[in-house]
Amino acid sequence: MEEGRAERRRRTEAPSHTQGGPRRAGVMTDVHRRFLQLLMTHGVLEEWDVRRLQKHCYRVHDRTAAVEELEDFINNINSVLESLYIEIKKGATEDDGRPVYALVNLATTSVSKMASDFAENELDLFRKALELIIDSETGFASSTNILNLVDQLKGKKMRKKEAEQVLQKFVQNKWLIEKEGEFTLHSRAILEMEQYIRETYPDAVKICNICHSLLIQGQSCETCGIRMHLPCVAKYFQSNSEPRCPHCNDYWPHEIPVFDPEKEREAGTSRATKRSLRSRQH
Amino acid sequence: MSEQSKDVCDPNSAAEASSSEVNSSPGVPGVLSPPASQAATLAGPETPPLGPTDALLASPPPQAPSEEGDPKALQQASEEGRAHQAPSAAQPGPAPPAPAQLVQKAHELMWYVLVKDQKRMIIWFPDMVKDVIGSYKKWCRSILRRTSLILARVFGLHLRLTSLHTMEFSLVKALEPEELDRVALSNRMPMTGLLLMILSLIYVKGRGARESAVWNVLRILGLRPWKKHSTFGDVRKLITEEFVQQNYLKYQRVPHAEPPEYEFFWGSRASREITKMQIMEFLARVFKKDPQAWPSRYREALEEARALREADPSAHCPRSSVSED
C-alpha cells in the first residue's frame, strides 16, 4: 500500500529533465503546477509576461534545471491538460499581432468562464453586445446600439446608466475593449470564447482566410469578401509591392499595416513606456 | 453529524471524499456509513493531511489499497452511486450515469472552481450543486473526489471544505506560497502589498485597527480616501468593500463611539491564507528591521508556526519531495 503511494508520487513528480524521450503524456512537476496556477490567476497574459512567469516558476522550484523552450514547455503541459478538455491557448491581439496566452476551457458550455462573474442580466448584456460585434462590418459595436437593447435583457431590469457601468466592468475584466465609444472583443474573449462563438453564430461568424481563426477586426476583399486579420495581412503581404487578394486575385484595396515583432521584443527592456502606449491604443 | 449523510449529497460527506485523506481519526464515531468510507479511499495518496478542521471531517475507517487506475475507480464510483440510491428509495432514482459522464462532470467542476477562485469569489457548495452537478447530485461525492484529485495532481491545489457551517470550499495552494513575498507578475502584487500593510498594522496593534489609523499608514504610500489611485482605483471602496467581500478584512463599527467610527480586523480568509510569520517577514522587509524588533508578535508567530507544523507534519513534504528529484 505504501509502495503504491510512493510510486504514484514518483510518477507524477518526475523531474522535468527526463523529457528527452517520446512525449506520450507530459509530466507535471511543481514548476508546471505553479505556472498553471499563476496563469489561471492572471487570466490572459502577453508573451513577455508568460516568459517571465515561466522563469519565476523555475526559480522557485527548480533552480538547477535549464528553462525549457516556451513552446515545448506549454506543449508539455497541454498534453496533460488534454484529457481535461482545457488547454493553454495562444492567440494574438487583432490590432497589432502581439501574442497572448490564456488557459481556456474547450468544452463549450456557454460563456462558461463568465457565467460565475456576472448576473443574468449582465451576461445577457454581454451576449447582446457580442452579437452586435459579430454582425458588424468593422468588428465594433457602438455604445448607443448596445444600450438600446437594454429593455430586451433577461433577468432583472437594467437601466441604461447601469448598463454603461456593466460595459465598463467588461472592459476592466478584459472581455471587451473600448475605443472611442465603440466596443469590440478583447483578445482574451476571442481566445476563450472562439469555440462558443463558432458554434453559436455559425452563419454570422467571420474567419480569417490566412490563419483560419475567428476574426472580429480585419480587412476584407471588396470583390470576393474574404477577410484577413491585420497581423495576417501584414505577414502575408510583407514586402509585396502589389498586394493581391489570395482568393480572387483582385488588387487588395487597403493599406497594408506594418508590424515589427523584432522591434517589439527588443523594446522589452523599456517595458514601462511601451505599456502606457499600448493602454492608450486600447 | 452522521445523520446528515442521509441526505446523499451533503458537503460533509462530500468533504470527506474531497479530503483524500490518508490519516484516520478513529475517535470520530459513526461519521460515515460503510460505502462512503470505501469511497474516501479512492482518493489519491499524494495530498498531505489537512488542518485541524478537516481532521474532524476525515474518514475514520482504515484505508483500502489505493486504486489501480481509472476503470476500477469508475466502477467503484458507479457502484457507490447505486449503493446510495438504496436508502433513499422514496423515489425511483435515475439510472447511474456512464462513468464518462461522471468524469466530464468532474472536469466541469474543476473549471468552475478554478474560475471562482480566479475571481476571488466564494466557492459555495450549494452553488456547486446548482451550477455544475445538477442532476448528478447523488454522485457528487465521487465527482468531488475526482475533481480534488485532478486539482492536486495538475495544479498543485487543494480543494478544501474550509467551513462546514457556511459550506464554503476554498482552493489552497499545496505549493509554498511564495507569491506573497515575491513579485511574479507586478499587477498582482500591489493588491497583496496593500492588504498586507493593513493586516500587519492590525497584527502589530494586537486588536482592531481604527480606520483613521489605517489611513495614517496608507498615507505613507500616498493613498488617500478621497483620491483615485492609478493602480488601486477607489482605495476606500477596495478596502472597506472588496477586501471585506473576499473575507480578507472585517470592517466593523466601533461600539459606543460617537461620532461613528469603524475599525478593521483580520477576515477569516486572511487567517486561513496568511501566517503570522509571513506578516513578520513583510514587516521586516518594509521597515528594514529584524522581525525580532517586535518581540511579542514574533513570539506569537513562532508559536503559530510550531502549531501549524505539529498539526500538519507533512505540510513541508512537498518541498522535500521536489528536492529529492
Side-chain angles (χ1 to χ4, degrees), chain A residues 256-268:
Chain A
I256 310 298
V258 177
F259 306 127
D260 198 338
E262 286 302 327
K263 276 226 194 76
E264 306 264 321
R265 229 176 292 145
E266 277 167 11

Side-chain angles (χ1 to χ4, degrees), chain A residues 5 13 30 33-34 40, chain B residues 45 118 153 176 179 322 325:
Chain A
R5 223 173 289 140
E13 288 181 17
D30 282 349
R33 290 187 190 107
R34 181 168 292 262
M40 187 69 201
Chain B
Q118 182 194 65
R153 185 170 46 87
E176 280 204 7
E179 276 80 46
V322 169
D325 291 338

Side-chain angles (χ1 to χ4, degrees), chain A residues 115-133:
Chain A
S116 49
D117 300 354
F118 300 103
E120 192 186 356
N121 56 2
E122 294 174 331
L123 270 182
D124 214 31
L125 182 68
F126 183 81
R127 265 185 230 115
K128 291 269 184 284
L130 182 63
E131 264 183 59
L132 285 177
I133 290 169

